[in-house]
Amino acid sequence: MSGPVTPREGRPDGEGPTGVDELLERVRAGYARVEAREAYEAARAGEALLIDIRYAALRQRDGLIPGALVVERNELEWRLDPQGSHRLPEATSHDVRAVVICNEGYASSLAAASLHQLGLHRTTDLVGGFQAWRAAGLPVTS
C-alpha cells in the first residue's frame, strides 16, 4: 500500500515538483520533432496526418493549413485512438504518423506525448507550431 503522492515524487530525481519547461524537455526527448517543411512534404506524400489543435479564435485569426485535420485539444485522444468509438476515419491504426500542430509548438509537444501513451508511437509535433509553418511560406487558407 502506498501513501499519498508528495510534490517531491513529481521529478525523477525526487528533488521537487516538475516545472512545465522541464516537462517539455522530458517529453520532447522521447521522439523526434519535425520542422515545417518536413511536415509539409510528409503530408503531401500521404505519409503523415497533420492535426491542428489550435483553438477556434486562432484558426479564425490566422487561417488553416490545407488538408490538416482540425481536432480540438480536449477531443484529441478520443479522435485519434484507433480503438476508440469516437475515432476519426483517418485513425486507422497505432502506426499512423501524426504531426500535431498548435500555435507555437508547446501545447503540441504535450499532446504528442499523450498520444504516445495511447500507443501512437509515430506521433510527433511541429517545432514552432503554426507560426513556424506560416513563417516558412507554406500554404495557409483563410
Side-chain angles (χ1 to χ4, degrees), residues 2-134:
S2 65
V5 175
T6 64
R8 294 187 158 280
E9 294 172 357
R11 287 182 36 169
D13 60 10
E15 294 282 326
T18 298
V20 71
D21 292 332
E22 184 178 335
L23 178 61
L24 282 170
E25 186 178 318
R26 193 175 336 139
V27 300
R28 288 173 174 168
Y31 62 90
R33 301 178 79 208
V34 296
E35 299 287 338
R37 179 65 58 185
E38 182 183 351
Y40 172 74
E41 295 296 337
R44 230 176 78 188
E47 298 169 356
L49 297 175
L50 302 179
I51 311 294
D52 187 343
I53 64 168
R54 294 175 299 142
Y55 54 88
L58 289 176
R59 294 191 311 268
Q60 290 170 355
R61 182 189 78 188
D62 293 338
L64 299 169
I65 295 172
L69 299 172
V70 174
V71 180
E72 296 286 335
R73 175 61 191 99
N74 63 327
E75 297 179 357
L76 185 65
E77 291 81 0
W78 285 267
R79 306 298 271 154
L80 290 181
D81 178 4
Q83 298 175 346
S85 60
H86 292 87
R87 71 182 173 277
L88 293 169
E90 295 85 353
T92 56
S93 79
H94 287 94
D95 291 326
V96 168
R97 182 176 182 208
V99 178
V100 183
I101 303 166
C102 67
N103 194 48
E104 295 181 343
Y106 296 100
S108 58
S109 295
L110 299 176
S114 179
L115 292 175
H116 274 253
Q117 290 180 323
L118 282 178
L120 295 158
H121 60 97
R122 296 184 66 211
T123 299
T124 186
D125 76 310
L126 182 64
V127 176
F130 178 86
Q131 297 307 320
W133 179 279
R134 185 169 61 184

